[in-house]
Amino acid sequence: MKVLASAPGKVTLYGEHAVVYKKPAIVASIDKRIYVSCKTRDDNSVTIRALNLQVPGVILTYSQDGEIIFETDYGRVLSAVSYIKEAISLTSQFLGSFKGADLTIESSMPVGAGLGTSAAVSVATVAAYSKAVGYELELKDIARLAWSTEKNVQGIASPMDTSISTFGGIVYLTQENDDFNIEHLDIPSDMNVVVGYVKRQFKTKDMVELVKRYREKYPDLIDSVIDTIGNLVVEAKKALLKGDLKYAGELMNINHGLLDALGVSTKELNDLVYIVRAFGAYGSKLSGAGGGGSMIALVDKEKVSDIKTAISILNGTPLPTKIGCEGVRIEKAEE
Ligand code: MEV
């Protein structure tokens, strides 16, 4: 059987990093997706083809003597492939049945830019593979298997990215006893966010470890920053449900300051975060693990174009983005 599944990327509205320490988070799916196709084989081999992963940071350098150097980040491509391998292994263990398969992965968003692509790869692979080998998994099972995939590949991961990629929408995520719960938030449709990204030098795993080490060094200080982020997320939920975008924006600004205090922002991200405020955003913050990567701005509809210009001025790449899109889905299934 041949199945094509897709799963969306995400932006974190509030609460990344603190969510690793079981604090709540508010996260939204975006209209950019990872596509995984899976065709079962007659033998036990698995092949993986990575096409068009839009890896950011491809560099072309040429010198006076005409030498051309082309650098790309194959590490990111390999990293995407390791999530697929682990997702297949965990899904076949869960189903109690293994079949060889040919997999192909494509992306409509830059991979490794902090938009939750590794989670989307894991979710889409679990969905495509399980369906191709003849099973209909519940969404909660897809989310759990994809979360375990991320934990196994990265060493540590919260259920945030894999949950939003599975369920889609705009979600308030809480955690208890090694499990998670999601609440879909009904947020005014006129809420606009603009995403911008810069080249990212570090992986999510590196950034999560950086916070872990900082916390070991300054336990009380870092725990109080993490607690404050958790409290702020509870407030942000109220602000969003009331449609109070000014307050929601201020809470984003505070969240960014606290992430910077955790050591996960960079000068390039800070520059983008501040310039969009000067151009009239309600608020802005880095989104995702940091160390480069993505930022988001909460903006009025009329300001969207100005904010994109502001991001470009400082060499960020603006990404036109709708939030609250559908979660994992089967695009096509044929015998
Ligand atoms: C990465 O998108 C979000 C982090 O909170 C890590 C995680 O939740 O696993 C930094």
Side-chain angles (χ1 to χ4, degrees):
M1 186 168 196
K2 187 171 177 195
V3 175
L4 175 66
S6 76
K10 67 99 210 336
V11 284
T12 318
L13 299 179
Y14 306 90
E16 55 272 90
H17 284 290
V19 72
V20 173
Y21 299 93
K22 305 237 156 67
K23 301 296 172 196
I26 301 177
V27 60
S29 57
I30 58 173
D31 57 347
K32 309 280 177 292
R33 306 179 78 85
I34 291 277
Y35 295 83
V36 173
S37 92
C38 176
K39 184 173 186 307
T40 46
R41 292 168 61 106
D42 294 333
D43 60 18
N44 277 344
S45 320
V46 174
T47 67
I48 301 171
R49 293 198 308 151
L51 305 171
N52 185 18
L53 288 189
Q54 300 197 25
V55 172
V58 173
I59 303 163
L60 185 66
T61 316
Y62 61 93
S63 57
Q64 297 291 19
D65 60 14
E67 190 190 4
I68 296 175
I69 301 166
F70 185 69
E71 295 168 54
T72 183
D73 193 346
Y74 283 108
R76 276 165 219 254
V77 177
L78 284 178
S79 161
V81 168
S82 55
Y83 288 93
I84 297 182
K85 187 168 170 282
E86 187 61 23
I88 291 178
S89 156
L90 291 179
T91 306
S92 52
Q93 271 169 43
F94 180 79
L95 300 173
S97 102
F98 173 79
K99 273 193 192 144
D102 293 325
L103 288 109
T104 305
I105 170 178
E106 283 187 72
S107 178
S108 70
M109 62 188 147
V111 167
L115 296 169
T117 43
S118 61
V121 167
S122 309
V123 168
T125 304
V126 172
Y129 182 77
S130 54
K131 175 96 180 158
V133 299
Y135 293 84
E136 293 286 341
L137 289 183
E138 308 252 314
L139 287 182
K140 187 96 193 199
D141 287 328
I142 295 178
R144 286 205 184 101
L145 285 163
W147 180 24
S148 300
T149 301
E150 282 221 311
K151 282 191 282 193
N152 291 0
V153 176
Q154 291 170 199
I156 182 165
S158 82
M160 179 176 78
D161 292 7
T162 39
S163 301
I164 192 65
S165 187
T166 305
F167 294 99
I170 301 175
V171 153
Y172 182 74
L173 178 125
T174 50
Q175 298 172 75
E176 213 178 355
N177 303 329
D178 289 328
D179 202 3
F180 60 90
N181 196 35
I182 59 156
E183 188 186 328
H184 281 280
L185 299 182
D186 196 8
I187 283 174
S189 54
D190 62 343
M191 195 177 117
N192 291 284
V193 303
V194 175
V195 173
Y197 67 90
V198 290
K199 187 171 171 8
R200 184 171 174 213
Q201 290 95 343
F202 302 97
K203 292 194 197 134
T204 298
K205 179 177 190 283
D206 305 326
M207 302 314 294
V208 170
E209 271 170 12
L210 187 141
V211 174
K212 184 165 167 253
R213 282 198 301 276
Y214 222 23
R215 186 167 173 255
E216 280 157 12
K217 193 165 170 197
Y218 305 111
D220 293 345
L221 283 176
I222 296 299
D223 272 345
S224 67
V225 173
I226 289 172
D227 287 346
T228 307
I229 295 177
N231 296 338
L232 171 157
V233 173
V234 177
E235 280 303 302
K237 179 183 169 192
K238 292 183 206 156
L240 290 175
L241 289 177
K242 270 199 279 178
D244 189 341
L245 297 184
K246 191 166 175 293
Y247 186 31
E250 274 168 8
L251 291 169
M252 269 190 185
N253 296 347
I254 299 172
N255 196 166
H256 181 76
L258 294 166
L259 286 163
D260 204 8
L262 290 180
V264 297
S265 195
T266 61
K267 176 168 184 316
E268 288 76 15
L269 277 176
N270 284 349
D271 287 347
L272 294 186
V273 161
Y274 290 121
I275 196 172
V276 296
R277 290 183 203 166
F279 273 64
Y282 288 115
S284 56
K285 60 181 274 296
L286 73 85
S287 169
S294 298
M295 50 74 63
I296 50 165
L298 182 60
V299 299
D300 236 19
K301 201 171 180 197
E302 306 85 71
K303 298 245 168 78
V304 166
S305 144
D306 290 357
I307 300 292
K308 284 189 204 154
T309 307
I311 291 171
S312 307
I313 288 172
L314 289 183
N315 297 322
T317 308
L319 197 68
T321 311
K322 282 206 194 82
I323 58 170
C325 305
E326 198 186 344
V328 66
R329 63 177 180 235
I330 301 294
E331 304 277 350
K332 224 195 293 176
E334 54 201 36
E335 285 306 327

